[in-house]
Structures are given as structure tokens and as C-alpha cells.
Amino acid sequence: MIVDCGIYQDGHRREGPTDFSDALADARAAGGFVWVGLHEPTEKEFGLVSEEFALHPLAVEDALKAHQRPKLEIYDDSLFVVLKPVMYEPRSDTVSTGEIMIFLGDSFVVTVRHGEGDGLAAVRHRLEQEPEMLGKGPTAVLYAIADTSVDHYLDVATELQTDLEELETEVFTPDRGGSRHTASRIYNFKRQITEFRRATGPLALPMSRLAGASTGTFATAVPFVDDKARPFFRDVSDHLTRVNESVEGLDRLVSDILSAHLAQISVQQNDDMRKISAWAAMAAIPTMIAGIYGMNFDHMPELHWLWSYPAVIVVMAVLEVLLYRTFKRRGWL
């Protein structure tokens, strides 16, 4: 649905026509711009917007279907940017992502949001409280949305770091590292990091292009973006680099924790096997002696001797004690 449609001139919102075409013409005539916000629009709803603002059909298709990677695409009449805001649920320790598609033109901004995450109302309200920033035109809207998303990435990375420390404590705490649920928790945590990485990793190149990369294939300026905004996008790009480095560090640490957990399980299983083997060896001696004397032969050593039975019992007890002390000294029991 269409959430909001506002006309901005000199950094202030003003009243204007509600029709998209008239609003765009009015904004261009006054030197301002139009900001249209939509949330999971239907094909019919977005068809009206795309027709009025002459949006490229390929970008329109991406905006309707969603499930896109973060990217930056340049068309003749507009710029198309995809961001993936990240939400963190502390109760379930899960990471979920939404999508924000931004169409940027010479006098308009169209934002399309998918998912249940925080809307853009807070960003719009904050910009309306900063007329100087909003007066820089559609570029200010793109910067504010990107900056808000990346700053939230930092918060999520901090939450994940806290969860990882708790998981690490659980793994290396005696009598808890071998819990049957620990491996599933580690695997689930790794999945959350992977989901987080899908949102942050691909965004590095678009932010680098918006910041004005001085070398490489994308060294040319991005159209519809004010050159004076490059330092701001460089700041966002620096924050994003910190996030990506943090995500890489988290991924390596959780892999190390999983390896340590598996090693602990292996050591514990070896200890168990040694204990089982030791007890089996101790049980083998009396079993062997009893098995020999259980055979029905007349001619057996000391069979008719008065003290045969107590002597055999004593021999078995002495041998059991010797084996027990030997295994205990070697750490098998």
C-alpha cells in the first residue's frame, strides 16, 4: 500500500497535489522533490507509480518480487538501490531481514519496503527535523536510509557478539560443553551469521560506488547523486566495513568454537571408551577363572583341595585390585 507521499522544497514539507503526476510537476517547477513511500504494494498500486515516474520495468519487477541482494543499478532516468535492513530478536536469538528498494531520480524518491521490520517513518521524521540536510534533495533521503540501516547493522553485530561470548562460555564450562543441545545451538548461530552476511557483504560495492571510488571499473560518478554527498557515503562505507569485519570475525570464532566442541566430544568419548575397556578387562579375569572351573572335568588343579574355593576367590580379588590400581594410575578410571 501507499504509506506516504510528500513534496519537499528547501528542506521543508509543503502541501501539494495528491496525484503523482501533478505532484512531480509541481516539485520540479518549485525546485523540490517528491518522496513516495510504499509497503509491499500490489502490482496495480505500483503500476501507477512506475508509470508516473517512468521507472525501468526490470527494476519494477525486482521491487515487486523482492528477495533481491543488496545492489546498485543505474538506468537512464533513475537510480535503483536495494538495501536489506536486519532485525534481531533477542528472545529467540534469531536474525531476520527485510528489504528496502529505493528509486532515485532528478526530482523524486520512491521507496518500497518489504518485510515486518521497522518502517521508514522514523527516517522521514528525522529528516523533516533537519531542513538543511533535507534541502540537499533526493540524495539526502538515500543517505539517511543507508546510514540508518548500516548503523543498525552495528547494533546487531554487538548483540551477536554478546551471544557468541555466552555460547563460548557454555562450550568451555566443565560438564556443559558436551551437552547434546550445544552443537545445534552453534549450528543455529552460524546460520544467523550467514543470514546477516547476506545483508551486509553485497552492500560493500554499492556503498563504495556511492562514496566515489577513485580507482577501478566503477570510478565514474553515480548519476542522480550529488557529488558533495560523497564524504557522507564514505562514512557509511567505513561503518559497513567495520560491520563486515565484525561478521567475518564472528564467523571464524563460531567455526573455532564448533571445532573445539567436537574435539571435546571426541576426547570425552575416548575417555568413556577407556573406562569401558578398563572395566571389561577387570571383568575378564574372574570370568575366565570361573569359566575354567565351571567345566565338568575330574582332573583339574586343586579341585579336591579343601581351600581351593577360597584360594581362587582371593586370587581373583588380588588380580582385580592390581588391575584397578594400574588403570587408576594411568587415568583410565
Side-chain angles (χ1 to χ4, degrees):
M1 64 178 181
I2 299 174
V3 179
D4 198 357
C5 177
I7 300 176
Y8 298 90
Q9 181 180 355
D10 297 327
H12 297 277
R13 181 167 182 162
R14 65 178 181 82
E15 297 297 328
T18 56
D19 180 78
F20 294 142
S21 180
D22 295 338
L24 181 60
D26 188 7
R28 283 174 173 168
F33 69 95
V34 180
W35 182 358
V36 179
L38 303 98
H39 178 231
E40 297 183 354
T42 64
E43 187 174 353
K44 181 178 179 181
E45 289 174 337
F46 199 58
L48 299 173
V49 176
S50 62
E51 182 179 354
E52 294 295 343
F53 293 96
L55 304 180
H56 197 279
L58 292 177
V60 171
E61 181 181 0
D62 289 345
L64 286 173
K65 292 184 177 180
H67 304 293
Q68 304 295 315
R69 298 173 74 251
K71 61 182 178 179
L72 168 64
E73 294 181 349
I74 300 174
Y75 297 101
D76 293 337
D77 299 321
S78 63
L79 192 70
F80 181 57
V81 180
V82 178
L83 302 174
K84 294 181 76 68
V86 174
M87 288 72 68
Y88 178 77
E89 177 52 54
R91 293 183 179 179
S92 57
D93 295 337
T94 56
V95 172
S96 59
T97 58
E99 287 185 59
I100 298 177
M101 283 81 166
I102 306 169
F103 295 87
L104 198 72
D106 58 346
S107 301
F108 68 86
V109 179
V110 177
T111 55
V112 183
R113 186 170 62 87
H114 291 268
E116 299 298 328
D118 296 336
L120 297 177
V123 178
R124 188 188 289 262
H125 178 73
R126 178 166 61 86
L127 278 176
E128 290 176 354
Q129 303 303 313
E130 301 178 8
E132 184 177 355
M133 173 66 73
L134 193 56
K136 299 183 183 299
T139 303
V141 177
L142 176 60
Y143 162 71
I145 296 175
D147 184 56
T148 301
S149 297
V150 173
D151 283 348
H152 195 55
Y153 290 166
L154 290 169
D155 297 335
V156 173
T158 302
E159 294 286 350
L160 289 175
Q161 180 65 45
T162 301
D163 287 346
L164 181 62
E165 292 173 356
E166 295 176 357
L167 187 60
E168 188 176 20
T169 300
E170 177 180 339
V171 169
F172 291 104
T173 297
D175 302 328
R176 294 184 62 187
S179 171
R180 67 178 65 181
H181 302 295
T182 303
S184 61
R185 283 197 60 195
I186 296 174
Y187 178 73
N188 181 66
F189 189 83
K190 194 170 182 65
R191 288 188 61 184
Q192 306 312 314
I193 294 177
T194 301
E195 184 70 18
F196 192 20
R197 176 183 284 176
R198 290 196 186 105
T200 64
L203 188 59
L205 180 57
M207 285 297 107
S208 178
R209 295 178 66 183
L210 290 171
S214 58
T215 60
T217 306
F218 304 110
T220 58
V222 178
F224 309 110
V225 175
D226 191 345
D227 289 342
K228 296 180 180 179
R230 287 187 175 186
F232 296 94
F233 285 109
R234 278 199 294 270
D235 181 66
V236 176
S237 182
D238 289 342
H239 290 176
L240 182 61
T241 299
R242 286 174 51 196
V243 171
N244 284 326
E245 290 175 351
S246 178
V247 172
E248 290 293 334
L250 289 172
D251 188 60
R252 287 194 299 270
L253 281 175
V254 76
S255 296
D256 292 342
I257 290 174
L258 179 58
S259 298
H261 174 64
L262 295 177
Q264 283 183 322
I265 292 178
S266 179
V267 170
Q268 182 177 350
Q269 290 176 340
N270 289 337
D271 289 340
D272 293 340
M273 287 302 299
R274 284 190 298 181
K275 290 179 180 179
I276 293 172
S277 300
W279 285 112
M282 292 174 62
I285 290 178
T287 301
M288 180 187 67
I289 296 176
I292 293 174
Y293 277 87
M295 294 185 293
N296 296 320
F297 293 111
D298 288 333
H299 303 288
M300 296 184 68
E302 311 301 338
L303 185 62
H304 300 287
W305 184 38
L306 179 63
W307 298 101
S308 296
Y309 181 75
V312 169
I313 297 298
V314 170
V315 169
M316 287 193 293
V318 170
L319 291 175
E320 290 295 299
V321 171
L322 290 175
L323 283 176
Y324 180 82
R325 294 185 62 183
T326 300
F327 291 142
K328 190 73 174 177
R329 186 167 57 250
R330 295 184 177 182
W332 285 36
L333 292 174

